[in-house]
Amino acid sequence: MSTAEMDPTQIDYFTDAEVAADAAPYFDHMLAHHPVWREPKYGVVIVTGYEEALQVYHQPEVYSSINRTGGPVLDLPVELVGDDLTEILERYREYFPQNDQMVTFDPPLHTDHRALLMGLITPKRLKENEEFLKRTADRFLDELLPAGKGDYIWDYAKRYAVLAVADLLGVPESDHPMLIELLATEAPMLGNLQLQVAHHNSLERLYDFFIAKIEERRAKPTGDILTGMAQATFPDGTLPEPIHVARIASNLFAAGNETTVQLLGVSLARIAEDRELQDLLRRETALIPKFIEEALRIEAPIKGSFRLTKVATTIGGLDLAPGTVVLLLHGAAGRDARVFDNPADFDVRRPNARQHLAFGRGIHTCPGAPLARAEAVFSIRQLLERTESITVSDEHHGPAGDRHWDLMESYKFRGHKHLHLEFTERKAD
């Protein structure tokens, strides 16, 4: 469907399979005509404009993140009425999905938990993590490349993303197979087109694992990273309950799987489809970080997330009452021509690509963004260095020009469920 013939009043963004598979025409139409728009079916205010999205990001006192992982319809036992809903939202927090995860917290609760997390993801620790990332990339490629083909998502990306976080948090390597079995699996999809919202938390087993580790390290400190986690305090000096630390650690795994796996998938699909780009990145490896930023801009792995207005406000000429559901479409904001020249073009040398909103902004900027970027850089660089060619499997995805991608059927996520690639290993000199 072209942007010219599109009528957004006739499209249910949340259930339309065609838009889920390729949202670019919808994004471009909304940016050109409705950068802020109240869709008619659910009353959700959809924000596609870049500057308008920044306005939402930078006003957490107005836009609550409590329903960030929810859907277009609230399922609450009370009616949201009043001039300021802050207190009532927290009172009924249990009714929101993923309600014990930091991504759904607002200040001051969010402030304390994020400070605890940032004390764990330090620049020093990230630097130490890099050697593991390089070594693990080569270890998985040692398994993948001799076969000459494979499903890059399941044979590489999912396992790699799990172990990257495991090493960052100091999880002993003896526990790595358990984490892969637990996390590198099919999981209920957030933002599915049936609008099924999972209210339970899928990370309870991980909570139990980390609670046990934290309690062990508090009883017998060993000087390792898990001991540092166990001894970390909130900004006021108080020691968190083990469950709080466990939730923060578990969130890193969940977020890492969602973002990094999808980023690797869309990146490798683009590299495999464009031989000229592939050869350029092989010759000029310094362009790989720029390539990753451009991929994040034009194919944001997380297309969007929700907010809920706590007080009355105005955005893009629309008046929003307290209790209005807002959908921030990060994936659309990266295509805003007011910010990015020729936004539909993939330009590996784009000077301002890093201004994208794929990792959010403000207090909810993704804390794992440096790790996701490092994982992508090392994965792509090592794969290009060790191959002469990477191509898409015609057998699994159809011929060039008529690909049948196995994409996530989601209005929230952009990514491949499976990506079958074929490799020609570089011959030894």
Side-chain angles (χ1 to χ4, degrees), residues 23-44:
Y26 180 88
F27 289 167
D28 291 344
H29 179 88
M30 301 307 284
L31 282 164
H33 303 284
H34 314 283
V36 177
W37 187 64
R38 193 188 309 272
E39 58 82 39
K41 185 169 183 178
Y42 311 97
V44 174

Side-chain angles (χ1 to χ4, degrees), residues 363-394:
I363 65 167
H364 280 286
T365 299
C366 176
L371 177 61
R373 287 181 166 113
E375 289 178 68
V377 167
F378 292 131
S379 294
I380 293 169
R381 190 176 68 196
Q382 295 302 99
L383 182 57
L384 289 173
E385 187 176 289
R386 295 184 55 174
T387 58
E388 292 182 358
S389 73
I390 306 165
T391 55
V392 176
S393 169
D394 292 352

Side-chain angles (χ1 to χ4, degrees), residues 39-276:
E39 58 82 39
K41 185 169 183 178
Y42 311 97
V44 174
V45 171
I46 296 178
V47 178
T48 53
Y50 185 94
E51 293 299 330
E52 292 83 359
L54 285 182
Q55 181 180 332
V56 176
Y57 277 125
H58 291 307
Q59 292 185 307
E61 72 281 2
V62 174
Y63 299 93
S64 174
S65 294
I66 195 167
N67 71 324
R68 180 169 174 174
T69 64
V73 180
L74 299 178
D75 183 16
L76 301 176
V78 294
E79 188 178 355
L80 294 179
V81 294
D83 295 332
D84 188 337
L85 303 178
T86 302
E87 184 180 335
I88 194 170
L89 290 179
E90 288 303 324
R91 191 186 314 154
Y92 291 94
R93 170 170 284 278
E94 65 182 292
Y95 290 92
F96 290 91
Q98 309 293 319
N99 57 74
D100 63 354
Q101 288 293 301
M102 189 176 67
V103 294
T104 69
F105 293 174
D106 295 324
L109 185 64
H110 176 268
T111 308
D112 289 345
H113 283 72
R114 186 177 176 90
L116 188 64
L117 173 59
M118 298 313 291
L120 306 177
I121 311 179
T122 62
K124 178 177 181 291
R125 182 64 202 120
L126 285 166
K127 188 68 178 174
E128 293 168 349
N129 181 236
E130 286 185 1
E131 187 54 43
F132 177 85
L133 295 181
K134 296 174 190 173
R135 189 171 70 250
T136 304
D138 276 325
R139 176 160 65 91
F140 286 162
L141 291 177
D142 286 344
E143 300 171 10
L144 180 63
L145 295 182
K149 60 184 179 180
D151 181 348
Y152 186 76
I153 300 299
W154 290 93
D155 295 338
Y156 182 94
K158 281 187 175 286
R159 295 193 297 155
Y160 187 77
V162 169
L163 296 195
V165 179
D167 181 73
L168 182 72
L169 295 179
V171 176
E173 292 204 21
S174 58
D175 288 320
H176 287 187
M178 178 275 293
L179 290 175
I180 288 176
E181 182 182 353
L182 176 63
L183 293 165
T185 56
E186 293 279 5
M189 189 181 300
L190 291 173
N192 60 72
L193 303 185
Q194 291 73 44
L195 306 189
Q196 296 165 337
V197 177
H199 284 263
H200 72 284
N201 197 297
S202 57
L203 300 173
E204 277 92 352
R205 282 182 61 192
L206 213 48
Y207 288 178
D208 294 341
F209 172 80
F210 276 109
I211 286 172
K213 294 295 184 187
I214 297 306
E215 289 175 342
E216 285 174 13
R217 295 307 193 272
R218 285 183 178 176
K220 294 182 180 180
T222 64
D224 63 2
I225 298 159
L226 283 171
T227 299
M229 289 175 59
Q231 297 175 339
T233 61
F234 285 131
D236 65 1
T238 58
L239 192 67
E241 290 294 323
I243 183 60
H244 293 313
V245 185
R247 286 170 180 164
I248 288 172
S250 301
N251 178 253
L252 271 179
F253 279 104
N257 278 328
E258 288 168 0
T259 305
T260 308
V261 173
Q262 288 144 228
L263 172 58
L264 286 171
V266 297
S267 296
L268 262 297
R270 186 171 292 273
I271 287 171
E273 283 285 76
D274 188 337
R275 185 60 201 232
E276 187 177 337

